[in-house]
Amino acid sequence: MDRFHFILLGPPGAGKGTQAKLLANQFHLVHLSTGDLLRAEVQAGTQLGKKVQAIMERGELVDDATILAIIEQKLHQYREVPGILYDGFPRTVPQAEGLERLLQTFGEEVTASILLEVPFEELKARILKRATKENRSDDTEETIETRFHEYIDKTSPLISYYSDRNRLFKVSGVGSIEEISSRLSELIKGILA
Ligand code: AMP
């Protein structure tokens, strides 16, 4: 049986992580957050962790080959799951192309890419709030700035990438966690129906 592959797209602070956890639970999908995986490597002090730590602390993107190697390994590890929900991946067009190629080797494809839309003014406030709560070392003023630039330059072209392939869905990321979550689950139910 083919797996479903759902991508959550959106700027830093849009709420991708929170929403991905809720949706993964509800639809029995594996939540695959490249940010969480990289943070675990840094925490454990692995070779990969050492390589990416400074890049992450600056708010820059880790190179595509490193990220795609992680994804390839996970696609093999999660061979038997109903589906995967990608959070924070792909972040660049080459990553999206790499994912497409990897999925082809399994005879699978991206099911849907869902853009969580939040006005820019609201995002910065949200990230700074998260910085106090989660104590993420990349949630400082300067790195937030860098992460926004990385998003605009390298990640936002994915919006047209998936819309050109008729895979793009947009959901408003404004409102309570529950409101946003129910918008997303209605959308996913519709896609799965
Ligand atoms: P996130 O938790 O998704 O905001 O990711 C935190 C940091 O990890 C990012 O600022 C990047 O430095 C790195 N990172 C996570 N996912 C990716 C990715 N798909 N491509 C490149 N860098 C990534």
Side-chain angles (χ1 to χ4, degrees), residues 12 16 33-36 38-39 52 55-57 59-64 67 87-92 95 130 136 138 147:
K16 297 187 296 293
S33 157
T34 42
D36 285 352
L38 293 170
R39 276 185 289 277
V52 300
I55 300 169
M56 291 177 74
E57 279 172 2
E60 292 169 9
L61 292 184
V62 172
D63 68 283
D64 294 332
I67 299 292
D87 158 17
F89 171 85
R91 278 276 227 297
T92 65
Q95 288 182 20
R130 180 173 72 188
R136 271 178 57 155
D138 61 347
R147 282 160 62 210

Side-chain angles (χ1 to χ4, degrees), residues 16-77:
K16 297 187 296 293
T18 305
Q19 294 299 334
K21 285 189 192 85
L22 295 169
L23 290 173
N25 233 337
Q26 189 183 351
F27 293 98
H28 310 290
L29 305 168
V30 168
H31 173 206
L32 210 165
S33 157
T34 42
D36 285 352
L37 292 171
L38 293 170
R39 276 185 289 277
E41 297 284 337
V42 171
Q43 204 73 37
T46 63
Q47 206 178 347
L48 172 60
K50 291 194 178 101
K51 187 172 98 176
V52 300
Q53 184 166 21
I55 300 169
M56 291 177 74
E57 279 172 2
R58 288 196 298 270
E60 292 169 9
L61 292 184
V62 172
D63 68 283
D64 294 332
T66 299
I67 299 292
L68 285 168
I70 296 176
I71 296 295
E72 180 168 18
Q73 192 254 321
K74 293 290 166 191
L75 282 172
H76 286 281
Q77 179 182 340

